[in-house]
Amino acid sequence: MKTKSLPLILLLALSIVGMLCHVSLAQPTVVSIDPAIGTANPLETYTVNITVADVTGLNSWEIKIKWNTGILVFPPTVTEGSFLSSVGSTLMFENPLQLVSSYQVGVTLTTNASASGSGTLATFEFQVLSAGNCTLELYDTFLYDVDGTPITHTTTDAYFYTLKPFPSFTWTPEQPIPGDTVTFDASASYSPANQTIVSYDLDFGDNSTGTGMIVNHTYAAYRYDPYIVNLTVTDDLGASWWLAQELRIWRDVTVSDIWPTLDDWNLETVDKIIPRGTLEWYGPTGDTGLPEEYGPSLTILATATNLGSVDETVIFHVYIDSDTAVIGDEYTAHWGGPWIDWDPAPENFYANITIGAGKASGWNLWFYWWLLDSPPGDTTGNYLPTGDYTVTVIAETFEGEQVIDNNNMTLTVSIVAELSLVPDTGIASTTVTGALFDPNSTITITWDGTQIPTVPSPLITDSNGDFTALISVLTQDEPGAHTVNVTDASGNSAVATFTVLDMTGPAGPQGETGATGATGATGATGATGATGATGDPGATGAKGDAGDPGATGATGATGAKGDAGDPGADAPTEYLWASLILAIIAILIAGYGIFRKTA
C-alpha cells in the first residue's frame, strides 16, 4: 500500500505546485501612456497612445490626463483606439477641462460584449508649442465589466521633453519707467536634453541688443505699444530656441464709468432721475437712529482703470454742479464706502487709492452726494432745488502720466418734484397733486405758459411740501396735448401733460339741394376797354373760279335821238379791241340762229 500511495502523493504535490505557479504568474491590469518617454521639437506633432494590458472582460473605460499646456497644445486631437471597437459598436465622449489643464475621455460598448487582453484605448495628438519638458499624468481612471463592476488596475505616466533648449528670463524692476536700470536674468533657461547652454542673446525691442545670462539695459522713452524682448539660447550641440515677452512702459489712468443709484442693496439699478427728498440707506443696520442709517443722498459709484504698466496712486474728486461754467463750486460728493459716517474732515471729500497696472478701481470709488443744503449728515437743511445737475468725476494728473484728456467723465442727473393730474385727459377740469416742493410755499400753475387760477387760491404747500388743487382746462376748443407747469416760490418746478379731447362729432349726411335763388339785378355795363393794337395783315386768299356767263336780256325800245354831246375823249385801245371782239361774236351768234331756222 505504501508503495502504491507514494506516486499518488507525488502527483498531488505536483498539481498543487502547478496551481500556485499559475496564480503567481497572473499579470495585473495596467493602463499606461505609450511611449513612456518621448521627444519632439517645437512646431512638431507629438503622439501618444493610452493602452491597457492584461485586462479581462472590459466593457467600458474612462480616464483623465493632464500636462503642461504651455508646452503641448490644448486641446489635443483624440481618436478612439481599436481595443473595444474591434468587438462591437461603441460610444465615445470627450470633456475638455482647460481650467485644470486636463482632458477627460471615455468609451463604452453599446452592447453586453467585452474585450480581453491588451490594446489601444485612445490616441492623443499634440502640437508642440515651445521647448521644455513635462509629465503626462493619468488620474481618475476607471475600467468596468459588462455588469458595471470596476476592474482593478494600476496606471503608468509618461515623460515628454524637447531636444531644443528651454529659454526663460525675468526682469527687475517689474514695472520700470524710462531711465530705470532694468536687469534681465536668463539663468532659469535649461536644456531638457541635458546639454549645456553656451550663449544667451537678447533683443530689447528698442533697436538694441545684449548678450549674457544677466544683462542690464535702460529704456529711454514711454511707449504705448510694448517693447518686444526676445531671448535666444543655444546649447553645446548647436540647438537653439527663443522666447519673446512684452515689456510695456506706459502710465495712464482713465475714468471709465459713473454709476448713480438710489439703492445700495441692489447696485444693478441706475438712477438718473432723483425724486426730491429721497431717503437712502448708507450706514450700519445696528443703529436705528437717523441719519446714521438713512438720509437724503445719492450713491455715486465711479470706476477708474489703470491702462498703464505701473501701479498708480491717484486722487479722485466727484463734483456736482447745476451750472458747469465752473466745475466744483457748488457741491462735492463725500467718499467713504457703503458705511459712511459723514466725517466732515477734508480728506473725506476725495479718494486717494492705488490701482494696480492693468486693473480697475473696483468698489474703492464709492461716493455719496448729500441732497440737502446743510452739511453732510445734517438733516435740518432744505432739499436741493429741482433741475439738471452735472456729475463730474476727476482723476488728478500724476507725474509721468502720458494721457490726461481721459481723466474726467460727466453724467447728467435730474432732481424732480412729483406732479400728477387726475384725470389727465378731458375738456373741463383736473385735479393737480404735487409733492416734494418747498414746505409752506406759494404755488403757481401755468397752462401752456399762461398762469391760471386755482382752487384753492392762493395755493400753498403744506409742511411736507405737498398740495392738491383744482384747475379748469384753459383751451377746451384746442384738442391735443397741453403743458401744465407747477413752480414753488423757490423755483422748484415739475411738468405734466394734459390732453384735451376733441369733442367735434362726425360729419352728418349731405342735405338736399335747395331751390334756385332769384336772378340778381343786371350789373352796370363796364367801361369800354381800350382798342387793341392792329394786328398784322392776313395772307392773300387764293383766286376763286370764274362764274358762268349770265343770260342775254331783251332789247329795249329805241329812245329819241338826243342832242349830240361833246366829243368824248379817245377810248383806250384795249376798249376798242374788246368792242370789236364782242361785235364779231354777236354777228356769229345771229348767223347761227338764221342757219338753224332754214334747216
Side-chain angles (χ1 to χ4, degrees), residues 302 315-319 332-333 349-351 365 367 392-396:
I315 294 176
F316 293 87
H317 305 270
V318 176
Y319 300 117
T332 301
F349 286 89
Y350 63 87
L365 295 178
F367 289 82
T392 304
V393 179
I394 297 176
E396 289 191 6

Side-chain angles (χ1 to χ4, degrees), residues 40 64 74 119 126 171 176 229 312 321 341 397 432 492 500 563 568:
K64 291 178 183 175
F74 187 97
F126 300 91
W171 61 81
V229 183
E312 303 290 2
D321 298 277
D341 59 5
T397 302
V432 183
N492 299 302
V500 176
D563 294 331

Side-chain angles (χ1 to χ4, degrees), residues 1-13:
M1 292 293 294
K2 292 181 180 179
T3 303
K4 291 182 178 180
S5 63
L6 181 59
L8 294 174
I9 293 173
L10 292 174
L11 180 61
L12 179 61

Side-chain angles (χ1 to χ4, degrees), residues 299-334:
T299 296
I300 300 174
L301 185 62
T303 301
T305 304
N306 186 347
L307 302 178
S309 59
V310 180
D311 297 344
E312 303 290 2
T313 299
V314 185
I315 294 176
F316 293 87
H317 305 270
V318 176
Y319 300 117
I320 304 95
D321 298 277
S322 59
D323 181 356
T324 56
V326 177
I327 300 298
D329 65 341
E330 295 183 42
Y331 308 103
T332 301
H334 197 288

Side-chain angles (χ1 to χ4, degrees), residues 122-413:
T123 298
F124 282 66
E125 184 177 283
F126 300 91
Q127 181 78 20
V128 182
L129 299 177
S130 68
N133 63 321
C134 66
T135 298
L136 288 81
E137 178 185 347
L138 288 170
Y139 71 104
D140 288 350
T141 60
F142 301 94
L143 305 178
Y144 299 100
D145 63 16
V146 294
D147 297 322
T149 302
I151 299 173
T152 302
H153 63 281
T154 60
T155 62
T156 302
D157 299 331
Y159 174 78
F160 169 80
Y161 68 97
T162 63
L163 297 176
K164 299 285 189 181
F166 176 77
S168 176
F169 67 95
T170 60
W171 61 81
T172 54
E174 294 182 3
Q175 299 178 352
I177 61 175
D180 287 350
T181 297
V182 184
T183 300
F184 292 90
D185 184 350
S187 61
S189 303
Y190 68 94
S191 169
N194 292 322
Q195 302 302 312
T196 301
I197 304 296
V198 295
S199 68
Y200 303 82
D201 297 298
L202 276 161
D203 183 332
F204 299 113
D206 61 350
N207 298 320
S208 60
T209 60
T211 59
M213 182 186 295
I214 298 176
V215 182
N216 291 330
H217 182 67
T218 299
Y219 288 92
Y222 287 105
R223 195 168 80 176
Y224 181 81
D225 293 327
Y227 295 98
I228 306 300
V229 183
N230 189 89
L231 168 66
T232 301
V233 295
T234 305
D235 66 18
D236 53 359
L237 294 180
S240 64
W241 196 245
W242 54 270
L243 172 67
Q245 296 190 66
E246 295 183 352
L247 172 53
R248 199 155 175 264
I249 302 180
W250 188 253
R251 302 182 73 181
D252 179 27
V253 170
T254 178
V255 179
S256 51
D257 190 31
I258 304 175
W259 191 292
T261 180
L262 293 170
D263 189 354
D264 279 356
W265 294 99
N266 180 13
L267 292 176
E268 293 182 358
T269 61
V270 177
D271 297 295
K272 298 180 183 179
I273 306 298
I274 308 164
R276 196 163 181 257
T278 293
L279 292 178
E280 184 193 7
W281 174 89
Y282 58 81
T285 58
D287 185 353
T288 58
L290 292 177
E292 286 75 18
E293 292 181 354
Y294 289 89
S297 60
L298 174 70
T299 296
I300 300 174
L301 185 62
T303 301
T305 304
N306 186 347
L307 302 178
S309 59
V310 180
D311 297 344
E312 303 290 2
T313 299
V314 185
I315 294 176
F316 293 87
H317 305 270
V318 176
Y319 300 117
I320 304 95
D321 298 277
S322 59
D323 181 356
T324 56
V326 177
I327 300 298
D329 65 341
E330 295 183 42
Y331 308 103
T332 301
H334 197 288
W335 177 70
W339 295 282
I340 198 168
D341 59 5
W342 299 111
D343 184 346
E347 62 268 19
N348 289 323
F349 286 89
Y350 63 87
N352 188 0
I353 66 170
T354 299
I355 307 175
K359 300 184 182 299
S361 57
W363 304 104
N364 292 312
L365 295 178
W366 190 306
F367 289 82
Y368 282 99
W369 175 25
W370 189 247
L371 298 176
L372 299 182
D373 60 7
S374 53
D378 180 358
T379 59
T380 62
N382 296 318
Y383 291 116
L384 297 184
T386 59
D388 294 335
Y389 292 82
T390 300
V391 178
T392 304
V393 179
I394 297 176
E396 289 191 6
T397 302
F398 52 87
E399 183 180 359
E401 187 169 17
Q402 298 300 295
V403 179
I404 62 174
D405 59 3
N406 58 6
N407 282 31
N408 62 76
M409 176 177 282
T410 62
L411 178 75
T412 299
V413 298

